[in-house]
Each structure stands twice: as structure tokens, then as C-alpha cells.
């Protein structure tokens, strides 16, 4: 078993200079690519992302996972490209055409059922993620991107976190607020609550958590180059509570949080009924209260194109808004647009 | 003040035969058109619906309201057409080109603020609706369509119901289940809960209420000519509860309700995560748990085209899924597509 932080034998080497790299490549972030749950479409998406170096000089990618899983992804995607095992990040020649792979040799996909939730796959996928987080927390890589995981498998495999972001925060011993932002083209979206039951979400929605989500969205977008992000905040209840008739959270909690952010100079407006908000022009970002408020809209607006970025954690993570898609696993039809977009956005925010 | 049922002096006359009407017109339903809250876009929409008899022989419309409000609607829409005051439904010559108006003389729009929530407007709008319901409950008309109301105004004006459907049910002394269906082209949608706070909605979602919504959707669609409606049912929690990780309502409540309906021969499937359900092909209807689950999707799929039908009440009602739209009141830009669609759907279900 690979434990968090174990398995890297060389010392961190931030200054390891690539021999033949261009100036641009030298400054681009080093990103660990984790192949996702191998029972789903993760390995196939990863192969599509890595094939032909389509990210160009935007990022330096290193696969962290099992070579056999990557090879399965190539077969699924019907793509081949040169790969090269490396034993440490410091040993990577970033100018080499071959994709560097830190081969953990921990997951043999032949022993795991395809397109089924597998506790064993979840356990090993979690181990791989923890290993990548160890690399990042020691400064050997700058960020992590991961192909779709399977939450139920992770949970069954002993990684009992409601979602991967809570898992990362725990492994990073991060105590502050953190969340996820989705990006659809020029439209950003953040959620005050996410992977919790609706009953629990109602208890988590406070003026404090709303303000945290607004401020962190604003900061993240400024880092990504949007000078003065204009943020719309959703209501919780139907029709924004209809003036208190259908709930008072808008009056008692959401509006005060918005007013507080506005008083500090942020460009924030709302609360708006979630069903009318997404048609409103003039906003760069939407902050919603509940997972489905945002995701019903996001998936209709761009089914496969929602990139997902972790916000608030000290290490940047990117992923996609969709799951391991067992229904199309192994069929060679998975769409990597969102994962590519996510990596490019994260690389942009990192610069 | 006009009370429920007051004000009609002639006896019900179901057989009042139009003198010059075609056979088709004779069998088309008699529908009372109520002009909506006059501070909003209701009168303008009504004028657009009535102008040029664009509904053809599908329905026989009679305006129930104040002539001055209808005239305001004509001015807003920049449309004119002949109108004729009538004192009772029985006295209407349905073949006359002029639109019949039962002029209640109860609302002078000049005395009410435009584009503002008005308790007085709400009070009078509620009176007008109650009058129309009286006509329907005595069999003088077959159905009611109404332009957008303003819920906050109705409430402030003493009509203290969470929404108009609950008001209708109360005035009709209807005890059984009732709800609303939206129609977007060939796609129908029903909600288990609607105009209540999210906290209250959680308590109202039971296996019984879900099954009621499924069965009533099935019945309504069969009446509208869909032989064997295929119905998808949404989950309540994110990702359908992710196998119980984010709430157990899917396992304990929703799935058993679906299984029960399936055992009775209905074509029902789910529960599906609300964020992925609307892309799923092969369904005629979606049954969602919460107002925003359905309406975020409906408004993105067709912003102004969602028709709304009451289901379960003994008298048919139609309206639209949007509100009184104070932001564009009096600007002459309101879109009547949804209201026209709603009337045509209701007329179809009535035949």
C-alpha cells in the first residue's frame, strides 16, 4: 500500500532545469495528471489529453498512476503516444517528447470489473490521489489535475469523504474555507454547498459561508485575469422567497452577506431566483446555494464542457464536472473537452 | 366588493347555441381569460392573445375583468380590436367578431402604480379570479386562463395562498391532490413541491405525494393524446444521493414510489440526478421534486415558452411559468408565446 507522501525517493528539486525546453515551457506549471477511476472513462480521457501534446507549452504534465491503466486509456481512445517511466519529478526531462509517468504499479485494471462501482478500485484510486497530493505538498509539482473519480467507489474503498475536495483539504490539513468553481467559457460558477444532502445543505448555508464563497470567487477570478468580476448570487427558495412568503433565508442571510461584500468594494448583486438568474446578462460569475441549482444549468449550457477548479486550498486542483460515466466506459466516445479546458484554466490561474 | 359567485344574473346556459358559429367553434371550450395583475405585463399579453383571433376555432374566449385594464393592454401592445360588453356568458354571440368582455368595473388601472407591487391591485385581481372561478364552478365556462399574477400583491391584498393553484383549490373546495404541469413543446414537466420554502418542501416530499404527481402527470398527458407517456423522475439530493452518501430520500421514498407506479403498468424510471436528467432522451415527461430543479431547466430550454396547466383540480386552469415582469411592464415588449401555447394545450386536453 502506498501511503500519503511515501514513494518519492529523490529530494524535491524546484530548480531542475529542462535541458532543451523553451523559455515558455520552463515557466509553465508542473501538473500531475491522475488517471481517474479505471472502471470508468478516466483513463480514456487522460489519453486524449496527453495525445499529441495538445496543451502545447501551457503546462508540463506528468502522469501519476499505473502504466497499465494509462495503456488501457490509450486502447479505449484508440490513440498511441510515447511514454517514459520516471522515478521522480526531478528526474524528468521536460523537453522529451515522451510523456513522463511515475508508475506506481498499484492498479492492475485487468483485475477490476469494467463499468462497475468497485471498492478495490476506489481504494487504489484514493491511494494514487494521496500520493499526488504528497508530491504537491512538498513542492515537487505545482498543481494536480484528475480524470473522473467515482465517489461511491472511493467511499466503499475507505476514503470516506463526501467529495474529493474534502478529501484533499483533509490530506493537506487545510482548515479554511474551500470549494469548487466551474468554468463554462467566460461564465464562472461557485457553490456555497455541494456534495451534501439537501437537509444538510440547509444548515450549511450561513451569511458566513455565502460571503466566503463570494470572496473566494472574486479572488480566483482576479488571479485568472478578470480585473473586476461581476458576481450574481442566487436565492435559496423558489422565486427568491417571494418577499418572505416561501422562506426567509434571502432576507435574513443572503442579502446581508451580499451587502457586506458590496461594502468592501466587490461587485455583487442578488439574491436572484435561480430559475431566472442564468439568463441575466452582465455577470462574470454566478454563486449558487445548492449543487443542483448550478449543475442543472451548467449541464444544459454545455454538457461536456464544464471545467472544475478547487478554490481556497493551498494547492490548485482541476477536474471536470461530470463523473466516471460507466455507461460509456470502454466505448471510445468520451469527450475530453472539459478536462482540457480545466487544465488550461488552472494553468492560467497559476501564472 | 365582488364576492365569489356573485354578479352573474342569468342562469347557467350550457346549450346557448351560437347563431353563426361553425361546428368546430360550437364544440370548442368556453374559456374565461383573466387579464392578470394590471401593474405588470398581464394586460399587454392578453391583448396579444386576443388580437386578430389568433387562436382560431381552438377556443371561445371571454374576457372576465375590467374594460379599462383591457384597454391599457391594447395601448401597451399597440394593438386594437373590437370588444363588446356582455352581462352574462349566456348572452354571448360567439360568432361575433368582437371579443366579449364581462366588465366587472372593479379595477381602474389609473389609480394603481405601474410596475410596483400593489396590495390594492392584488386584492382586486384576486376578486376577479374568484369571480371567474364562480362562473366555472356553475358550468357557465369550461376553463380559465389567466395572464401573470403577482403573488406578493395577492398576498398583501388578503389572498393569503402560497400560489394561485392553492387559491383555486380552496375556492373550489377541492380536497384531493393538485399541482401544475409545464409544457415546453413535446416535453412535459410536473413538480412534487412548488411554491413553498425549501425547508417545507423537504417535509412535503413523501412516497405518497411523489406517486400522486406521477399518476396525475400520466393521466393528464393521456387526456392530451399521448397514449403511453414515458416519465422520468428526478432525485432530490445531488447525484441522486450517490448511493445514500448524500441523503437517503432516493432509497427510502422516491424509488419505492416509482416501483409502485411501475407495478401498476405506468412507464416510469428514476430517480435520476436532476442535473443529468434533462439531457436524457426517450422521455415525454419529467417529474421533479423542487421548483427550481424544473424551472432552471425550463427557462434555459425555452425562456418565454413554458405553458402552465393546473392538474388535479376539477376545473382546468392555464397560465404561464413566468411572473408579472415589472421590469418590462408598459414597454410593449412582452412575449405572449407561452400564454397562447398554454391555452391551446388546455383546449386540447379539454376535448
Amino acid at each position: 500500500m502506498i501511503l500519503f507522501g511515501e514513494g518519492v525517493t529523490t529530494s524535491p528539486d524546484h530548480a531542475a532545469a529542462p535541458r532543451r525546453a523553451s523559455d515558455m515551457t520552463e515557466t509553465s506549471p508542473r501538473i500531475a495528471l491522475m488517471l481517474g477511476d479505471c472502471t470508468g472513462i478516466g483513463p480514456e480521457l487522460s489519453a486524449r489529453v496527453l495525445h499529441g501534446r495538445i496543451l502545447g507549452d501551457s503546462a508540463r504534465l506528468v502522469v501519476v498512476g499505473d502504466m497499465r491503466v494509462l495503456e488501457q486509456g490509450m486502447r479505449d481512445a484508440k490513440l498511441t503516444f510515447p511514454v517514459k517511466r520516471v522515478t521522480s519529478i526531478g528526474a524528468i526531462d521536460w523537453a522529451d517528447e515522451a510523456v513522463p509517468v511515475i508508475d506506481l504499479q498499484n492498479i492492475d485494471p485487468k483485475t477490476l470489473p469494467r463499468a462497475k462501482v468497485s471498492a478495490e478500485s476506489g481504494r487504489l484510486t484514493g491511494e494514487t490521489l494521496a500520493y499526488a497530493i504528497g508530491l504537491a505538498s512538498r513542492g515537487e509539482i505545482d498543481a494536480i489535475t484528475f480524470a473522473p473519480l467515482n465517489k461511491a467507489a472511493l467511499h466503499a474503498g475507505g476514503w470516506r469523504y463526501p467529495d474529493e475536495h474534502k478529501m484533499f483539504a483533509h490530506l493537506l490539513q487545510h482548515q479554511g474555507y474551500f470549494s469548487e468553481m466551474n468554468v463554462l467559457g467566460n461564465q464562472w460558477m461557485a457553490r456555497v454547498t455541494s456534495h451534501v444532502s439537501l437537509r444538510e445543505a440547509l444548515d450549511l448555508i450561513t451569511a458566513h459561508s455565502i460571503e466566503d464563497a463570494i470572496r473566494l470567487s472574486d479572488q480566483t477570478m482576479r488571479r485568472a485575469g478578470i480585473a473586476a468580476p461581476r458576481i450574481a448570487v442566487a436565492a435559496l427558495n423558489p422565486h427568491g422567497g417571494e418577499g418572505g412568503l416561501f422562506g426567509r433565508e434571502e432576507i435574513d442571510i443572503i442579502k446581508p452577506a451580499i451587502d457586506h461584500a458590496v461594502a468592501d468594494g466587490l461587485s455583487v448583486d442578488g439574491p436572484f431566483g435561480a430559475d431566472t438568474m442564468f439568463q441575466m446578462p452582465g455577470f462574470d460569475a454566478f454563486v449558487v446555494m445548492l449543487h443542483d441549482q448550478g449543475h442543472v444549468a451548467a449541464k444544459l449550457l454545455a454538457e461536456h464542457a464544464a471545467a472544475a477548479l478547487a478554490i481556497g486550498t493551498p494547492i490548485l486542483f482541476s477536474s471536470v464536472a461530470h463523473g466516471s460515466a460507466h455507461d460509456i466506459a470502454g466505448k471510445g466516445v468520451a469527450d475530453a473537452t472539459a478536462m482540457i479546458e480545466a487544465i488550461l484554466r488552472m494553468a492560467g490561474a497559476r501564472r
Side-chain angles (χ1 to χ4, degrees), chain A residues 16-21 25 53 60-61 84-86 88-100:
Chain A
R19 284 190 300 268
R20 299 182 302 275
T25 303
R53 292 186 166 270
R60 291 180 284 176
L61 295 177
K84 183 181 182 180
R85 279 189 183 82
V86 293
S88 71
I89 302 295
I92 297 171
D93 174 1
W94 291 105
D96 192 329
E97 281 301 303
V99 172

Side-chain angles (χ1 to χ4, degrees), chain A residues 198-281:
Chain A
L198 219 59
R199 286 192 185 274
E200 191 180 343
L202 287 175
D203 294 332
L204 294 174
I205 294 167
T206 63
H208 193 75
S209 64
I210 295 166
E211 221 181 308
D212 276 344
I214 293 170
R215 288 182 193 278
L216 205 48
S217 299
D218 180 78
Q219 285 167 20
T220 304
M221 295 170 72
R222 285 178 195 268
R223 282 171 63 188
I226 301 161
R230 296 157 301 171
I231 299 173
V233 179
L236 172 70
N237 294 299
H239 301 204
E242 195 88 37
L245 290 186
F246 315 146
R248 291 194 51 87
E249 284 89 346
E250 287 73 18
I251 298 165
D252 296 337
I253 296 175
I254 305 176
K255 189 66 166 58
I258 293 171
D259 289 346
H260 208 206
V262 168
D264 279 353
L266 274 66
S267 173
V268 190
D269 205 353
F272 301 111
D275 57 344
T276 53
M277 187 176 74
F278 298 103
Q279 288 83 43
M280 293 172 53

Side-chain angles (χ1 to χ4, degrees), chain A residues 50 101 200 302:
Chain A
L50 294 164
V101 178
E200 191 180 343

Side-chain angles (χ1 to χ4, degrees), chain A residues 124-176:
Chain A
L124 296 168
T125 304
E127 274 186 14
T128 306
L129 267 175
Y131 184 93
I133 289 170
L135 292 177
S137 59
R138 292 190 302 279
E140 299 186 48
I141 54 170
D142 301 306
I144 296 172
T145 188
F146 54 96
L149 311 174
N150 186 293
K151 285 184 185 64
L154 280 170
H155 205 255
W159 300 95
R160 301 187 180 280
Y161 300 93
D163 58 39
E164 54 269 24
H165 294 97
K166 294 206 179 72
M167 176 177 165
F168 300 160
H170 184 256
L171 291 175
L172 290 166
Q173 299 180 293
H174 175 67
Q175 302 293 333

Side-chain angles (χ1 to χ4, degrees), chain A residues 86-131:
Chain A
V86 293
T87 52
S88 71
I89 302 295
I92 297 171
D93 174 1
W94 291 105
D96 192 329
E97 281 301 303
V99 172
V101 178
I102 294 194
D103 185 4
L104 300 181
Q105 300 179 35
N106 61 335
I107 302 179
D108 179 0
K110 286 204 188 68
T111 65
L112 296 166
R114 203 68 196 275
K116 287 203 168 70
V117 173
S118 158
E120 181 63 3
S121 183
R123 185 178 73 80
L124 296 168
T125 304
E127 274 186 14
T128 306
L129 267 175
Y131 184 93

